[in-house]
Amino acid sequence: MPTRRSMAIARRRFENRSEGQRLRKLLRYESALWATGVLRVAGVDEAGMSPLAGPVAAAAVVFTPGSRIPGVDDSKKLDACSRDRLAVEIKNTAAAWCIGFAEVEEIDAINIYWAGQLAMRRALEGLCITPDHVLLDARRLKTLDLPQHPIIKGDSRSMTIAAASILAKVHRDGLMA
């Protein structure tokens, strides 16, 4: 007859195995690029495109091959406490990260779509290393001279995009607070 302790251990093992499988799936785009020798893969995402207040924030994140951060997911699926905790871990684990903004005046001048593009470009340009390839959430950066791959629902399908989603949301939320 299993004890409560052995059942708790079995449940923890199952949860760890499940998280490992989820992370492997979340890293499929990065792993495919890493396997071909493309090592500096940047994920980019933005926050603040829907509200009618404040700037648009975008983040770019580059991880070293094989990096894994349990719990990373689309920022919209996480509560504020989890996002804050993960943002610290992302910054500590990433080979490079940067936040870029497009201010309210820029949004008014060029419209929200182009302001999002501007914020993403600023985040990429602010990285301390130049990426070899860029993964983006559902769109292309029109004038970017790097290979790029837009992924529909990328913030829930790519770890680097999900990490960028978290950093952008945490920084923008902090600024708005």
Side-chain angles (χ1 to χ4, degrees), residues 142-163:
K142 308 268 188 251
T143 58
L144 184 65
D145 290 333
L146 294 169
Q148 54 186 303
H149 184 137
I151 303 168
I152 304 298
K153 298 187 189 234
D155 46 6
S156 60
R157 298 178 64 205
S158 159
M159 189 174 92
T160 55
I161 297 173

Side-chain angles (χ1 to χ4, degrees), residues 20-161:
Q21 290 170 350
R22 189 188 73 80
L23 285 172
R24 272 190 299 284
K25 189 174 180 183
L26 198 61
L27 280 162
R28 68 183 168 270
Y29 295 100
E30 293 85 345
S31 295
L33 289 163
W34 293 335
T36 65
V38 177
L39 304 180
R40 294 178 308 222
V41 178
V44 181
D45 198 15
E46 89 290 313
M49 295 286 286
S50 297
L52 298 175
V56 173
V61 178
V62 178
F63 290 111
T64 56
S67 295
R68 296 166 61 127
I69 301 176
V72 167
D73 205 344
D74 176 0
S75 65
K76 295 179 289 298
K77 295 178 182 176
L78 302 169
D79 61 43
C81 184
S82 296
R83 285 192 302 266
D84 290 342
R85 178 184 55 77
L86 286 165
V88 171
E89 193 168 351
I90 290 163
K91 290 175 185 177
N92 290 334
T93 304
W97 62 272
C98 185
I99 310 294
F101 288 94
E103 300 301 332
V104 173
E105 298 77 23
E106 293 171 312
I107 296 168
D108 290 343
I110 61 176
N111 84 33
I112 191 68
Y113 175 81
W114 293 109
Q117 294 264 318
L118 179 61
M120 289 189 288
R121 175 170 288 291
R122 287 176 174 163
L124 280 166
E125 290 171 352
L127 289 170
C128 62
I129 59 175
T130 302
D132 299 318
H133 196 95
V134 179
L135 301 175
L136 300 111
D137 186 22
R139 59 166 117 175
R140 286 188 176 277
L141 282 174
K142 308 268 188 251
T143 58
L144 184 65
D145 290 333
L146 294 169
Q148 54 186 303
H149 184 137
I151 303 168
I152 304 298
K153 298 187 189 234
D155 46 6
S156 60
R157 298 178 64 205
S158 159
M159 189 174 92
T160 55
I161 297 173

